[in-house]
Amino acid sequence: MIKTYIEEQSFYAEIDNRIDDNFQDISDLIDLQFEFLKSRQSKLVILFADCTFINASVSVIIGTLPKYAYTVHKNVKYKFKNPSTHPVLKFMKMVGMYKYYTRKEIEYDGKDAVPFNCIRDENMMDEYTEKIMELAPIKMSKDAKDILSSYIYEIYQNGFFHSESEIGVFTSGYWVKEKKEFNFSIYDMGVGIPDKIRRHFNQEIDSEKCLQIAFVEGFTTSDKKGVSRGLGLTRLRQFIRLNNGKMSIYTGDICCIIDRQEKEQYLRLKNPIRGTLIIINIAADEKHIYVVE
C-alpha cells in the first residue's frame, strides 16, 4: 500500500510494503504517477520506509518518473530509512538505476540484471535483446532463439518509433534465482495503445477493443514498412502460451494479462497509465526445449 499526503508544498508517497509484479501493486504505482502529475505540487518525495523489495520489471515505473517529471517542470526525490543498509537502495544500485541518475561509477554485481536504461537507438535495441536472451533461463533451438529475439526487438522498435514518448523507451529486468524466473519490462511514457488506435481510426473505441485490435496479426498504425506494433504483440502472445510464460500489458486505462493457455484477462485501471508498460515473465524449464510454431 502507498500512503500519499501533502506537506510543506511537497507531494509525499510512503511505501511500506514490497512491490511485486501483480495487478494491485502496479495499479498503486500508476495511481501515484497519475495523482502526482495532475497535482499542483512540483516535488514528489518517495519514502521507502518498510519496503524491502521491488520487482525489477515493475521498478521501471518508479525509475522513469523523475525523467518525465523534469519535462513538466517537476522533480522526484527518493528517500530511504537507513540508506547505507536499505535493501531498495541496494537494489537500485544492482539494477543500474542509481548509476543512471547519478552517473557515478559504482561497484555492483549486475550480471543477472537487464540494466535500467533508456533505449536511444537500434544498436541499443540489439544490445538489450541479446542481454535478455542471455539471461532467459531456457533451452532453445537456434531457430527458436532467433525468432524470439526478433519478437523482443520488435517490441523495443515499436515503442521507439510509435509511442511518441518525450523521454524515450526504458527497460529493466532481473533473473530471480530463488524463483527460477526471469522477468523484464519495456516502458514508454508516450501515447498509449488505445489513444494511438483511436487516432488511427479517427473514432472513439473502447480501450479493451483497442488492445484486441493491437493483437491482430499484421496490424499497424504506421505507414512505415517493417514497423508494426501489432505484429510483435501477436507473436509474443503466441510464444508465451506455447511455453507457459506470462505477459502483462498496461496502457491507457486497461490492463491485459496473458497467462499460459488461459484466455486474456482484461482489467480496468482506476487511473490511466502514462504510455505503455509491457512485462514479460519467463519461467526456468530444465526439462523442455522452448518452441515456436
Side-chain angles (χ1 to χ4, degrees):
M1 181 177 178
I2 302 175
K3 177 185 176 184
T4 61
Y5 55 92
I6 295 170
E7 189 176 285
E8 296 180 355
Q9 302 306 308
S10 291
F11 195 103
Y12 283 80
E14 190 171 324
I15 304 177
D16 286 327
N17 298 312
R18 56 186 283 139
I19 299 174
D20 286 293
D21 174 15
N22 61 56
F23 179 76
Q24 186 58 59
D25 288 358
I26 295 173
S27 295
D28 287 345
L29 289 177
I30 293 170
D31 291 342
L32 170 61
Q33 179 194 82
F34 180 86
E35 290 167 11
F36 169 60
L37 292 176
K38 77 167 186 176
S39 73
R40 295 180 180 179
Q41 283 66 43
S42 61
K43 181 179 181 180
L44 168 64
V45 180
I46 301 178
L47 302 168
F48 293 96
D50 296 320
C51 174
T52 58
F53 173 84
I54 301 180
N55 180 283
S57 57
V58 177
S59 68
V60 73
I61 304 176
I62 294 173
T64 51
L65 198 48
K67 192 82 173 177
Y68 188 87
Y70 181 78
T71 69
V72 292
H73 311 292
K74 296 191 176 194
N75 65 83
V76 177
K77 182 179 181 180
Y78 306 131
K79 289 190 71 174
F80 305 90
K81 184 168 66 176
N82 303 319
S84 60
T85 59
H86 202 287
V88 172
L89 181 55
K90 181 181 178 182
F91 162 79
M92 286 182 171
K93 290 181 177 181
M94 186 169 58
V95 81
M97 197 181 297
Y98 180 90
K99 181 180 179 181
Y100 179 84
Y101 281 109
T102 65
R103 302 299 177 188
K104 293 180 180 177
E105 290 295 333
I106 58 173
E107 291 185 9
Y108 74 101
D109 183 8
K111 70 178 186 301
D112 292 328
V114 174
F116 174 86
N117 209 343
C118 178
I119 303 300
R120 294 185 294 273
D121 53 41
E122 291 183 324
N123 287 334
M124 288 189 70
M125 294 181 205
D126 281 326
E127 176 188 342
Y128 273 75
T129 298
E130 286 179 14
K131 182 67 175 176
I132 288 168
M133 296 308 302
E134 175 189 324
L135 287 177
I138 52 178
K139 299 175 184 176
M140 304 187 76
S141 67
K142 184 182 183 303
D143 287 346
K145 188 172 183 178
D146 289 344
I147 291 171
L148 178 57
S149 295
S150 72
Y151 297 170
I152 294 167
Y153 184 90
E154 283 176 2
I155 298 297
Y156 279 125
Q157 187 184 54
N158 286 316
F160 191 80
F161 288 110
H162 284 303
S163 71
E164 302 173 31
S165 173
E166 293 181 65
I167 64 169
V169 178
F170 280 76
T171 193
S172 184
Y174 205 75
W175 159 230
V176 186
K177 295 178 181 177
E178 299 78 19
K179 291 186 176 181
K180 293 188 175 181
E181 180 181 270
F182 172 60
N183 55 70
F184 68 96
S185 59
I186 299 169
Y187 182 42
D188 65 72
M189 291 187 74
V191 178
I193 295 174
D195 282 346
K196 192 78 176 179
I197 288 178
R198 290 179 189 120
R199 287 192 336 198
H200 178 73
F201 289 106
N202 193 28
Q203 60 179 287
E204 276 301 312
I205 305 173
D206 178 74
S207 295
E208 182 176 329
K209 180 65 175 178
C210 286
L211 210 47
Q212 290 170 348
I213 291 171
F215 277 114
V216 173
E217 179 70 29
F219 174 79
T220 178
T221 58
S222 174
D223 294 328
K224 296 179 181 179
K225 292 183 179 180
V227 180
S228 167
R229 180 184 289 275
L231 187 62
L233 291 180
T234 303
R235 291 177 173 177
L236 265 174
R237 175 178 63 180
Q238 198 172 30
F239 180 85
I240 290 296
R241 284 179 166 164
L242 279 170
N243 299 288
N244 297 321
K246 179 182 176 184
M247 178 166 68
S248 307
I249 302 173
Y250 295 80
T251 184
D253 62 351
I254 198 77
C255 166
C256 176
I257 299 173
I258 298 163
D259 193 352
R260 298 179 173 85
Q261 298 296 328
E262 298 171 13
K263 188 177 180 181
E264 293 100 272
Q265 181 182 12
Y266 289 92
L267 302 169
R268 193 72 60 169
L269 296 168
K270 175 185 173 185
N271 293 304
I273 186 173
R274 186 82 55 165
T276 299
L277 169 68
I278 299 175
I279 300 174
I280 296 172
N281 304 86
I282 301 174
D285 189 340
E286 298 172 355
K287 297 179 181 178
H288 302 93
I289 296 178
Y290 270 48
V291 296
V292 291
E293 281 187 336

